[in-house]
Amino acid sequence: VQQVARDIVERIADRGQVDFVVDVAAALPLKIVCDLMGIPESQFQFVFDRTNIILGAGDPEYVAEDVDILTALLTAGGELAQLMNEVAAGKKGGDGTDLTSVLMNTDLEDDKLTDADLASFFILLVVAGNETTRNAISWGLHYLTQNPDQRAIWQDDFDTVAPTAVEEIVRLASPVTFMRRTALRDTVLGGVDIAEGDKLAMFYLAANRDEELFPDPVRFDVRRDPNRHVGFGGPGPHFCLGAHLARREIRVMFEALFSRLPDIEASGPPDVLQSNFIHGIKHLPATFTPGGSVAP
């Protein structure tokens, strides 16, 4: 992850300005997840475009207003499934170490994944593991630009502050806005009666700004502690499977940026994704001194 982040930053170092989302924030998690699954680099853009459709179907930049959204979603999902099936077929009998190779060649006769299982797993992993971390990193640069005092605190003592800074980025970014669940039994929540079978929308973005839990909740504080956010879905069986990887990617990307391009900042407002499900940024202009500092 460190090397990928450094390579991404090195590629843009002489440019002086970038679309931070496309050129930086999206590039890291996309490559990590695709490498994990053994997807060839020639297909990265294909995967990127289809994940944009799946999680950004309500935005006309990704799905034209005259196109049926359900059709667009099913088409994008089907194309990703076909890619995964082709990749998996090519790895049968091989000795690759990527996750797809391991899954295809492990001797578990009673518990083998079907092609449909593998394709579904890949779509979930690549969508969740790409889009959410991309948006956390993008919001992170926006928050750091808007709060130069907090940026200075982190840059002055990166390793010490990084753990709380990453959690604060996830808290405020809340890449997934909400999730729907079904009540398994009668209960009372916040003084409201909830009956077994009721369908509930859990708004993570709102919970992460709860004034009862977070003092001055809209303030970006890289040293906030405790920080009991639910940006990874909260505790229990639905806790984000990729939380540790997401934290690692956010930390490593800002470490690479601060080291190589210490004055990088957002140079305009974020172009926010039109979605009620993903709290995302499509584009974010960023500027920095071309050449940056000497690579470590």
Side-chain angles (χ1 to χ4, degrees):
V1 176
Q2 283 182 319
Q3 190 57 55
V4 172
R6 289 169 180 166
D7 290 345
I8 290 169
V9 174
E10 195 60 37
R11 283 201 300 268
I12 68 167
D14 292 329
R15 292 167 57 179
Q17 57 183 1
V18 293
D19 179 340
F20 186 76
V21 178
V22 175
D23 296 324
V24 179
L28 176 62
L30 179 67
K31 178 168 175 56
I32 296 301
V33 172
C34 285
D35 282 353
L36 178 70
M37 296 298 292
I39 304 299
E41 191 164 353
S42 61
Q43 297 296 325
F44 284 8
Q45 187 64 44
F46 177 88
V47 173
F48 177 74
D49 292 340
R50 272 59 186 181
T51 59
N52 281 340
I53 292 172
I54 291 173
L55 288 183
D59 193 302
E61 179 174 338
Y62 300 132
V63 177
E65 293 179 347
D66 59 347
V67 175
D68 179 68
I69 290 179
L70 181 58
T71 300
L73 287 170
L74 292 175
T75 300
E79 290 173 339
L80 285 176
Q82 181 179 354
L83 171 63
M84 187 68 255
N85 288 334
E86 292 173 355
V87 170
K91 294 181 180 297
K92 286 183 178 178
D95 58 357
T97 58
D98 58 87
L99 186 55
T100 302
S101 293
V102 172
L103 292 171
M104 293 304 298
N105 298 304
T106 299
D107 185 15
L108 294 172
E109 290 299 331
D110 296 332
D111 196 24
K112 277 190 175 294
L113 292 176
T114 66
D115 289 347
D117 289 335
L118 187 60
S120 178
F121 174 67
F122 168 66
I123 293 170
L124 175 63
L125 189 66
V126 76
V127 172
N130 168 25
E131 293 272 350
T132 51
T133 306
R134 172 213 306 188
N135 288 315
I137 293 171
S138 300
W139 281 116
L141 183 67
H142 171 72
Y143 298 142
L144 290 165
T145 302
Q146 294 293 308
N147 299 273
D149 61 321
Q150 297 301 305
R151 178 191 182 119
I153 290 172
W154 193 7
Q155 284 186 288
D156 289 346
D157 191 1
F158 185 87
D159 289 338
T160 300
V161 178
T164 52
V166 168
E167 297 304 316
E168 183 70 342
I169 288 173
V170 174
R171 181 186 75 86
L172 271 185
S174 298
V176 176
T177 303
F178 78 95
M179 196 67 72
R180 205 272 292 165
R181 296 281 181 251
T182 302
L184 296 180
R185 59 179 182 271
D186 295 347
T187 188
V188 177
L189 181 63
V192 177
D193 292 329
I194 296 173
E196 178 183 345
D198 279 353
K199 294 178 174 59
L200 310 173
M202 305 183 299
F203 284 88
Y204 302 128
L205 196 145
N208 284 339
R209 289 159 175 75
D210 187 345
E211 294 178 352
E212 295 185 8
L213 193 61
F214 302 102
D216 199 0
V218 297
R219 180 171 60 89
F220 181 63
D221 179 1
V222 295
R223 287 176 169 165
R224 187 181 293 272
D225 186 30
N227 191 344
R228 294 171 52 202
H229 67 79
V230 289
F232 292 117
H238 294 290
F239 184 79
C240 175
L241 181 66
H244 294 307
L245 178 58
R247 288 178 173 125
R248 182 67 175 162
E249 289 176 344
I250 296 167
R251 175 186 177 129
V252 166
M253 179 50 77
F254 281 105
E255 184 176 30
L257 288 167
F258 290 164
S259 175
R260 189 72 173 87
L261 307 173
D263 64 350
I264 188 170
E265 63 179 9
S267 56
D271 183 1
V272 179
L273 179 70
Q274 294 183 35
S275 171
N276 67 354
F277 181 57
I278 297 296
H279 185 219
I281 301 178
K282 297 183 295 181
H283 305 286
L284 182 68
T287 57
F288 48 88
T289 300
S293 61
V294 178

